[in-house]
Amino acid sequence: MPSHRATRSRAYTKHVGRPIGALALALPDYDPVFDIEGAFFPAWMLCLLVGILGATALRLLLARLGLEPHLGPLPLIYSCLVLLVGMSTWLLFFGV
């Protein structure tokens, strides 16, 4: 006969997975998708493109102002700028 502790443990683990499973099923409903010329694009692709274009524009501005030599490691700086601009775009258009 199983002990009280073993029965309680099995019952607890049985119910813990339910909210996580329900959440996993609900998450795909929150993926913003755009229809552009008949093709569906996820919004993160557009935000990444905006991030790359924004970081390129900021690079040209920093080079023109003469600030680029004073920055740290350039690949790290510009990849972080891509992320900053892309995530800011996401929050601006899709943030809650």
Side-chain angles (χ1 to χ4, degrees):
M1 184 161 146
S3 69
H4 175 65
R5 174 183 258 173
T7 306
R8 182 174 153 214
S9 176
R10 263 185 277 154
Y12 177 74
T13 57
K14 180 178 159 185
H15 294 291
V16 167
R18 287 186 183 166
I20 295 170
L23 181 64
L25 291 175
L27 285 178
D29 293 339
Y30 296 109
D31 184 28
V33 176
F34 291 104
D35 180 19
I36 299 175
E37 306 253 342
F40 292 102
F41 290 98
W44 67 265
M45 292 173 82
L46 294 175
C47 290
L48 179 63
L49 180 64
V50 169
I52 291 170
L53 294 175
T56 303
L58 286 172
R59 185 216 174 266
L60 294 173
L61 178 68
L62 290 171
R64 187 167 191 93
L65 293 174
L67 296 174
E68 192 175 40
H70 303 290
L71 298 175
L74 294 180
L76 178 66
I77 297 296
Y78 290 124
S79 61
C80 287
L81 275 175
V82 167
L83 290 173
L84 177 71
V85 174
M87 290 181 185
S88 297
T89 303
W90 179 274
L91 287 176
L92 182 66
F93 290 107
F94 305 108
V96 177

